[in-house]
Amino acid sequence: MNVKFSIKKRAHGIIVLTLALALSVLAVACSSNSNAGKSPTETLRAYYDAAKKKDVETAKKFLSRGTMQVMEDIAKGQGKTVDEMLKEGANRDTQMPTPEFSNEKITGDTASVDIKVPEQPLVTMQMVKEDGEWKLAIDKMMKGGIKPESK
């Protein structure tokens, strides 16, 4: 009977330890600077906030894989890294106001959000869902040509 009790106690300890580890991993994942669960508009706003703070690493997390590839190609052509290019852009744009976001439209794994900066034309930003998270798809905008709308 002592052997059965010892085995049950050991199994219970393993289950408790496994649950504790799972909860720890979940807590870390939830507290990370993740984009999971954000709407396209929230993602776009978080990207602009990170860029304005010159937080290049965080800003890059909101960019699609296609966008990162395009940016790498452009940076390489200029003899720079993507980080250098983004920092230069952030240095130029620190005084730029955060745009107004509106008209979010989601169709499956793509979305669009209109942005409006004072005294600038309205621009529709394209978004894609990658690995369950919304990402800014500048590459898609470049293929179709960025078309400001007049409103």
Side-chain angles (χ1 to χ4, degrees):
M1 197 158 199
N2 263 345
V3 173
K4 285 184 182 181
F5 180 73
S6 177
I7 292 172
K8 285 182 183 179
K9 188 175 180 180
R10 179 181 278 160
H12 178 73
I14 291 172
I15 290 170
V16 169
L17 178 62
T18 302
L19 287 173
L21 287 173
L23 287 174
S24 296
V25 169
L26 182 61
V28 168
C30 289
S31 68
S32 70
N33 197 2
S34 176
N35 184 18
K38 290 186 179 184
S39 72
T41 300
E42 291 169 329
T43 298
L44 202 50
R45 185 173 284 119
Y47 168 78
Y48 274 94
D49 290 345
K52 196 164 187 160
K53 293 176 186 170
K54 301 180 186 180
D55 184 353
V56 172
E57 286 307 310
T58 299
K60 287 191 318 187
K61 292 177 183 179
F62 298 108
L63 301 175
S64 69
R65 287 186 282 271
T67 296
M68 286 302 299
Q69 184 60 55
V70 167
M71 293 183 107
E72 287 170 9
D73 293 344
I74 292 170
K76 187 176 179 181
Q78 296 177 359
K80 301 175 185 175
T81 67
V82 171
D83 286 10
E84 289 170 335
M85 195 170 71
L86 288 172
K87 284 178 188 172
E88 286 175 6
N91 287 336
R92 281 191 307 268
D93 299 336
T94 52
Q95 301 305 316
M96 188 170 143
T98 301
E100 292 178 26
F101 303 94
S102 64
N103 201 26
E104 178 181 285
K105 294 179 185 172
I106 300 173
T107 306
D109 286 343
T110 62
S112 63
V113 178
D114 291 342
I115 63 167
K116 177 73 173 108
V117 176
E119 300 179 30
Q120 296 292 321
L122 180 80
V123 176
T124 301
M125 305 298 283
Q126 300 299 313
M127 310 285 289
V128 294
K129 195 174 248 189
E130 292 180 350
D131 303 322
E133 297 180 349
W134 289 106
K135 306 282 184 162
L136 179 55
I138 297 169
D139 59 317
K140 293 196 181 300
M141 295 170 62
M142 291 173 76
K143 285 179 186 173
I146 298 176
K147 298 175 187 137
E149 298 175 18
S150 49
K151 283 193 178 178

